[in-house]
Amino acid sequence: MSTPSTVIEARGLTKRYGRRRGIEAVSFSVRAGEIFGFLGPNGAGKTTTIRLMLGLLRPTGGAVSVFGVPPGPAVMARIGYVPGDLGLYLEMTGAALLDHLAGLQRGPPRLRGDLCARFELSAPDLAIAVRACSRGMKQKIALVQAFQHDPDLLVLDEPTEGLDPLMRERLYDLIQSTAEQGKTVFLSSHVLPEVDRVCGRVAMVREGRLIVEETVASLRARTLRKLEAVMGAPVDLASLRVEGVVEARADGSRVTLLVRGSPVPALQALLRQPLEDLVCERARLEEIFLEHYRPEPGR
Amino acid sequence: MKPSLVLQPLWGARWTLAALAAGLTALMLAATASYSSFGGAEMLAQFISRMPRGIHTLAGGENLLTAAGYFSMMFVHPLALIFKGGAAIALVTRLAQDVETHAADLLLSRPVTRVELALARYLAALAGLTTVIGCGALAFLIGRSRMPAVQELAAMHVLAAFGYDLLLWTAIASAGFFATCLASARGRAVSWAVGFAALSYLLNVVGQLWAPMEPARRASVFYYFRPATALAGSSPPAAHLALLAGVAAAGLVLGLLAFRRRDIA
């Protein structure tokens, strides 16, 4: 099966659980080779969307295709999945579980050795029953089972849950190197720094509806960033209200500018003043996220 | 279908199965070993003439004066019901547990169809049930070989009776399978399966004790199970066998259809 340029395509995807909301008319597409972040607070509909993509749920409306066809066994052979709700057979050893899950794939688990080394899963670690494993160990096993058969599409639902910072870094590196090989990664998370760190494009869901789908760079460009300057003498704030500056205020020698888009015109304006010190904060996805998820007035 | 889909639940339930098989084995060995200690047909006749009707009904309602009648009681002995019911329900409800714990998500996100997964779990349940009932049959044959009084039952007839028993419990397991294919929690699937088996058993017993309820016995799978007939060397009514096989097939097909269409959540 060839890899079409669009790996995942959701069109008007809707899921209702009786009278309870799941997701409503969600549409997005994920291209081959990209790391696509799927963001939203708990209960927004991220896992429902993933379960629809994997064919675990039947849509109430709309459709989703993966590699150009509806989810089914042929497509599943090309997917690696880390579920958010981790359900492992607790009585099995880690090694037996990985063997069992690999045995259900069409290809051999050829990356297992490298993955175990990357996540520091030794043979003795894998020889104990999953029941006796820590949360982090279970999560590492979940990651290995998803990546071990070298799938073309990784669907990762909150993949860093339970991992320590070092292992998180290793996972980010793995995700990035996987994408560099032309594989596609769908990363669902509510941990904004990790999405900010690895994703090229994001979609955000809120209360079951998609509210944003664009590149992280363009999201940042639309977002306010703060420039804090310490001046050697009082300044005329009107001279600082240049292109992109939406707010300028002074507190003694300290001047604060809120800038949308490129900060260059504001920096040039500041350099024409008696500037002594400057702090320019990078626009963070977290602020964009909060901007979108701040409760609406009257709600 | 990958064999590991069948073997994994069997391996997971190996200690449960071993305990149930050991229990049924012990019961059958005890039953065959203690037959002559009842004093044969004459003593049994005196004993049965004093037995309350309710107790006689609970013992299977068969003619206990014959070896076939006496041993048919062992097929519906409360302990035997627990051992066989336990095997049928413990394994057949594993699928609901997979859904409840989200282990099914990991399996179905591989090139495994829902029908394959459900059918594998059903086959595992049948294998477990066959193991437990097979151990009971083997124990009975061992006991028979050691007790001359029991040898009036032909070995083939004993095997036929245990085969008949397997058919009954396959039908019950299939009803449980249908319940488990609909359920999202193992506890619920177990409740429905046990409920079906218990209601079926009670319907048959109450129908024997209370004349107005007699017609309702036909709604019970136990009504179609007459192990004394098989032990005595006669063929059970074909309609009874067909009905039990029909319940088993219906449970399987309805279960697969339900599991194929449902949400895994």
Side-chain angles (χ1 to χ4, degrees):
Chain A
M1 195 184 288
S2 64
T3 304
S5 58
T6 299
V7 173
I8 304 171
E9 180 147 41
R11 285 284 162 262
L13 198 56
T14 299
K15 180 67 185 176
R16 296 190 198 99
Y17 303 98
R19 296 170 74 179
R20 195 160 56 87
R21 171 189 58 76
I23 57 168
E24 192 71 38
V26 167
S27 299
F28 62 88
S29 61
V30 181
R31 292 186 287 271
E34 78 173 332
I35 305 173
F36 186 85
F38 200 56
L39 275 166
N42 294 331
K46 302 188 299 292
T47 299
T48 296
T49 307
I50 288 177
R51 298 172 78 82
L52 287 160
M53 276 162 43
L54 297 172
L56 297 170
L57 298 178
R58 308 289 190 205
T60 310
V64 62
S65 67
V66 182
F67 293 114
V69 294
V75 165
M76 292 306 153
R78 303 177 68 189
I79 295 179
Y81 173 46
V82 175
D85 297 312
L86 203 50
L88 305 173
Y89 292 110
L90 301 178
E91 70 278 6
M92 296 175 103
T93 64
L97 179 65
L98 289 174
D99 285 342
H100 176 57
L101 294 172
L104 300 175
Q105 289 290 359
R106 290 183 183 156
R110 58 195 182 86
L111 300 183
R112 187 189 298 178
D114 290 346
L115 290 163
C116 288
R118 181 186 287 262
F119 292 119
E120 297 180 2
L121 278 173
S122 63
D125 288 338
L126 291 173
I128 58 174
V130 174
R131 186 187 306 282
C133 291
S134 66
R135 176 73 180 90
M137 283 264 288
K138 287 177 189 163
Q139 191 65 18
K140 290 178 191 177
I141 291 170
L143 290 168
V144 174
Q145 65 80 29
F147 283 84
Q148 65 180 350
H149 58 289
D150 197 14
D152 295 325
L153 168 63
L154 272 307
V155 178
L156 312 176
D157 192 359
E158 313 282 2
T160 53
E161 287 288 313
L163 295 182
D164 61 45
L166 176 64
M167 291 301 132
R168 272 186 222 159
E169 282 302 315
R170 290 189 183 174
L171 174 61
Y172 301 150
D173 290 345
L174 176 64
I175 289 173
Q176 278 167 333
S177 64
T178 301
E180 282 161 13
Q181 292 163 29
K183 313 286 170 68
T184 309
V185 181
F186 184 96
L187 172 65
S188 164
S189 180
H190 59 243
V191 183
L192 298 161
E194 77 187 20
V195 174
D196 201 7
R197 159 91 194 266
V198 297
C199 294
R201 217 154 56 86
V202 294
M204 292 186 186
V205 276
R206 175 182 174 162
E207 294 177 358
R209 290 180 182 276
L210 200 72
I211 51 172
V212 168
E213 183 195 355
E214 62 184 302
T215 63
V216 172
S218 68
L219 266 178
R220 279 212 195 99
R222 289 199 289 106
T223 304
L224 291 176
R225 74 180 72 205
K226 191 159 67 175
L227 302 183
E228 282 189 341
V230 178
M231 313 307 278
V235 294
D236 176 17
L237 285 178
S239 66
L240 296 176
R241 291 199 173 94
V242 295
E243 183 192 344
V245 175
V246 294
E247 189 182 327
R249 58 177 183 265
D251 180 11
S253 61
R254 190 175 296 273
V255 172
T256 303
L257 303 180
L258 292 178
V259 181
R260 191 183 296 281
S262 170
V264 173
L267 285 170
Q268 286 170 338
L270 282 169
L271 288 170
R272 285 194 286 272
Q273 305 293 333
L275 180 65
E276 286 190 344
D277 194 9
L278 177 69
V279 176
C280 179
E281 283 182 6
R282 184 168 179 255
R284 289 178 304 156
L285 203 55
E286 196 150 5
E287 282 151 18
I288 305 166
F289 187 82
L290 292 172
E291 200 175 300
H292 282 292
Y293 292 106
R294 203 161 281 136
E296 289 163 13
R299 284 180 69 94
Chain B
M1 181 194 298
K2 300 270 187 183
S4 61
L5 284 174
V6 180
L7 296 175
Q8 186 273 326
L10 278 172
W11 179 251
R14 64 194 182 283
W15 298 118
T16 306
L17 281 179
L20 295 170
L24 194 63
T25 299
L27 180 67
M28 291 302 161
L29 287 174
T32 48
S34 61
Y35 179 56
S36 56
S37 67
F38 273 89
E42 194 179 326
M43 287 294 285
L44 277 172
Q46 290 177 23
F47 174 64
I48 290 160
S49 65
R50 297 191 185 107
M51 190 188 264
R53 189 169 162 226
I55 300 291
H56 183 241
T57 302
L58 284 172
E62 296 289 352
N63 177 7
L64 302 182
L65 292 176
T66 64
Y70 176 79
F71 284 111
S72 71
M73 188 171 72
M74 288 301 136
F75 287 85
V76 289
H77 188 284
L79 284 176
L81 294 177
I82 288 169
F83 298 140
K84 291 179 286 189
I89 290 164
L91 270 161
V92 89
T93 53
R94 290 278 290 205
L95 187 62
Q97 187 179 15
D98 286 343
V99 172
E100 183 179 13
T101 62
H102 297 286
D105 297 8
L106 280 181
L107 303 176
L108 294 172
S109 61
R110 288 174 157 69
V112 172
T113 65
R114 291 179 181 212
V115 168
E116 249 181 296
L117 175 62
L119 191 57
R121 294 321 197 215
Y122 180 81
L123 291 177
L126 279 198
L129 189 56
T130 306
T131 303
V132 171
I133 293 181
C135 285
L138 192 64
F140 194 101
L141 290 175
I142 291 169
R144 174 187 167 277
S145 69
R146 293 163 59 90
M147 302 300 295
V150 188
Q151 285 169 14
E152 98 179 55
L153 300 175
M156 284 308 294
H157 300 159
V158 170
L159 288 176
F162 276 96
Y164 193 10
D165 195 28
L166 182 60
L167 182 60
L168 168 75
W169 286 99
T170 300
I172 292 169
S174 295
F177 176 72
F178 178 45
T180 210
C181 284
L182 293 169
S184 292
R186 191 183 195 187
R188 186 170 298 174
V190 168
S191 313
W192 288 346
V194 170
F196 172 79
L199 188 68
S200 204
Y201 179 75
L202 286 175
L203 212 56
N204 189 43
V205 169
V206 173
Q208 288 178 75
L209 292 173
W210 190 33
M213 282 291 285
E214 208 284 329
R217 285 182 69 201
R218 284 161 182 76
S220 162
V221 284
F222 286 93
Y223 174 80
Y224 303 96
F225 180 58
R226 309 281 169 87
T229 314
L231 283 172
S234 307
S235 291
H240 288 197
L241 296 176
L243 196 125
L244 291 176
V247 170
L252 173 62
V253 171
L254 289 174
L256 292 177
L257 287 174
F259 195 69
R260 205 161 68 93
R261 295 175 61 87
R262 64 168 290 185
D263 283 339
I264 307 297

